[in-house]
Amino acid sequence: VIQLLKCKYKKLILLDNSEYNLYNLSSLIKNKSKIIFKLINFNNKEDVKKILTDNNVDIIFHAAAYKHVPIIENNPFSAIKNNFIDASKM
């Protein structure tokens, strides 16, 4: 997110299911005029779909993706469940 703040954007919508993490992130950001913070459960597909359609989202950055290859190689189903969204089922 900190890297995205350096880019030109119309609006950033930051989603997290952790109130604590969202609060910490919001405290790091000085200019919040074009940023929306949403506390959301990602398992609720209708809420995610509503945010995407209501805001005409162009690009999604999944910053919460699992990144440690040796761990996800040993846990492929968890990795797939966390790192990929099947848009056809939304």
Side-chain angles (χ1 to χ4, degrees), residues 13-81:
I13 305 167
L14 306 178
L15 310 177
D16 204 319
N17 64 348
S18 166
E19 178 191 14
Y20 179 75
N21 290 339
L22 204 58
Y23 173 79
N24 284 340
L25 186 57
S26 72
S27 68
L28 293 173
I29 299 171
K30 293 180 178 27
N31 182 0
K32 299 177 180 80
S33 62
K34 298 190 295 181
I35 302 174
I36 299 169
F37 296 89
K38 289 284 195 178
L39 183 63
I40 183 170
N41 179 340
F42 298 102
N43 292 324
N44 187 328
K45 292 178 184 179
E46 290 302 315
D47 286 350
V48 173
K49 184 176 180 179
K50 182 168 177 38
I51 289 169
L52 296 176
T53 56
D54 288 356
N55 292 283
N56 197 25
V57 173
D58 293 322
I59 301 171
I60 298 172
F61 294 93
H62 182 8
Y66 295 151
K67 301 162 204 59
H68 299 93
V69 175
I71 294 172
I72 62 170
E73 284 178 338
N74 292 324
N75 299 278
F77 295 109
S78 294
I80 290 168
K81 186 175 178 182

